[in-house]
Amino acid sequence: MFPVTKIRAKELLGERFPEDGRADFWIYGVSDPEEPEDHTIIFVKNQIEAHVQEVRESIFLMQEKTELSLGSSCIGLKSKMPKNLYGELLNRMTEQMPKTELLLQDGSYLSADVKLGERVKIGSFCVIGRDVVIGDDCEIGAGTIIRDHVRIGNRVQIKERCIIGAEDADIYRLEDGTCRTLPHLAGTVIEDGCLLLAGAILAAGDTRTTVLKKGSMIGMLGDVGHNCRIGEQTLISGKASISGHCQIGDHVYVAPMAVTTNRIDVGDQAYLGLGAVAIKDVPENEKQFGNPARKVLEKKKG
């Protein structure tokens, strides 16, 4: 969980705060419903039970038919459209965040609170948002945009015109029907030794942090959606697209123009061939090709 703000639950919820005498508490960010944390907002899309009783001083948003046994310090709010309520609360959190000045430095705009390691090279025409930490020996290519709440490890290369921490298409609607994307407050992590080639896009998380693990790559014009976890030393090739909520294992190869649909798990050392479209989970060590992607059957000799 990224501690992105500090706001009282009563201030955040307003009229929705229960009038039952319970104590007010602080909210610092959002957390994954599968790994709920204290002092967060948790959007429950499916029925969950594991660890919920252990969570303290958090707000759970859920469908009217969902039943959860929450700790006494937590608040459970039910709605016909909990995602719309989630978007409303995230926007209130965003409005409470301190504004950070952008400073012009060598042809790029950097937030005043950015933390840079040793020997970091930043090209011209970049924009780096608030609450960003960049490790040692990193290179940021010209025209790259790094949004808010991003952590970048050591020895990371990000080539020109990449977008890190982008808001992906996880939408909700205002009361008048206006379409908006959820504020992506769960953040983005790029671990040590990663490489992002020109035009790559790595979306931030809106319920859980998007993570690109050690030594992995996103190729030219490749993209990874919100709430994804990409394993170690995995290669997402040029123009490949990993949709939201996917879990990609270690040492996976995703060939150019291959695609996954939402909520796909790809096992360790799997292989998605050129232009493959994965519409269901891919087991570890398996090679798949085609649309829809299918396992390659090896012909027996003789």
Side-chain angles (χ1 to χ4, degrees), residues 95-112:
E95 291 168 359
Q96 296 295 323
M97 292 179 188
K99 305 302 179 186
T100 305
E101 183 182 5
L102 287 176
L103 305 176
L104 182 61
Q105 179 177 316
D106 298 326
S108 289
Y109 282 98
L110 279 61
S111 174

Side-chain angles (χ1 to χ4, degrees), residues 137-192:
D137 301 301
C138 292
E139 297 182 18
I140 312 298
T144 287
I145 297 173
I146 300 176
R147 301 286 299 271
D148 300 343
H149 316 305
V150 174
R151 302 290 184 269
I152 297 175
N154 302 317
R155 303 178 306 282
V156 173
Q157 281 193 347
I158 300 174
K159 299 297 185 178
E160 59 272 16
R161 297 185 180 277
C162 293
I163 305 177
I164 311 301
E167 290 190 345
D168 200 2
D170 204 351
I171 65 167
Y172 73 104
R173 294 191 182 276
L174 306 180
E175 290 185 2
D176 63 1
T178 301
C179 183
R180 292 289 182 264
T181 185
L182 290 173
H184 286 43
L185 302 185
T188 314
V189 171
I190 301 175
E191 295 186 355
D192 296 348

Side-chain angles (χ1 to χ4, degrees), residues 35 78 90 93 95 101 140 215 228 301:
E35 300 174 1
K78 294 187 177 183
L90 295 193
M93 290 178 67
E95 291 168 359
E101 183 182 5
I140 312 298
C228 287
K301 294 182 179 180

Side-chain angles (χ1 to χ4, degrees), residues 83-285:
K83 195 173 195 179
N84 292 354
L85 178 55
Y86 187 55
E88 176 188 334
L89 296 183
L90 295 193
N91 268 317
R92 288 186 187 178
M93 290 178 67
T94 301
E95 291 168 359
Q96 296 295 323
M97 292 179 188
K99 305 302 179 186
T100 305
E101 183 182 5
L102 287 176
L103 305 176
L104 182 61
Q105 179 177 316
D106 298 326
S108 289
Y109 282 98
L110 279 61
S111 174
D113 71 347
V114 66
K115 296 179 181 178
L116 300 178
E118 301 290 334
R119 300 172 296 279
V120 175
K121 299 178 182 178
I122 299 175
S124 300
F125 311 114
C126 294
V127 179
I128 300 179
R130 66 178 300 271
D131 186 29
V132 172
V133 179
I134 300 176
D136 299 338
D137 301 301
C138 292
E139 297 182 18
I140 312 298
T144 287
I145 297 173
I146 300 176
R147 301 286 299 271
D148 300 343
H149 316 305
V150 174
R151 302 290 184 269
I152 297 175
N154 302 317
R155 303 178 306 282
V156 173
Q157 281 193 347
I158 300 174
K159 299 297 185 178
E160 59 272 16
R161 297 185 180 277
C162 293
I163 305 177
I164 311 301
E167 290 190 345
D168 200 2
D170 204 351
I171 65 167
Y172 73 104
R173 294 191 182 276
L174 306 180
E175 290 185 2
D176 63 1
T178 301
C179 183
R180 292 289 182 264
T181 185
L182 290 173
H184 286 43
L185 302 185
T188 314
V189 171
I190 301 175
E191 295 186 355
D192 296 348
C194 289
L195 171 65
L196 288 84
L197 297 182
I201 298 175
L202 181 62
D206 56 35
T207 59
R208 71 171 183 175
T209 305
T210 299
V211 180
L212 185 65
K213 292 190 175 181
K214 293 180 181 179
S216 290
M217 181 198 80
I218 304 176
M220 187 165 58
L221 301 178
D223 67 270
V224 172
H226 61 289
N227 303 337
C228 287
R229 304 286 175 90
I230 308 299
E232 294 186 8
Q233 299 186 38
T234 283
L235 304 181
I236 310 297
S237 300
K239 299 183 181 179
S241 182
I242 306 298
S243 296
H245 302 272
C246 288
Q247 182 92 21
I248 311 298
D250 298 336
H251 304 280
V252 172
Y253 179 71
V254 180
M257 295 178 286
V259 175
T260 69
T261 55
N262 285 346
R263 302 181 186 277
I264 295 294
D265 287 355
V266 178
D268 295 343
Q269 302 182 62
Y271 184 108
L272 277 177
L274 184 71
V277 179
I279 62 173
K280 59 182 180 179
D281 293 348
V282 180
E284 63 181 30
N285 297 308

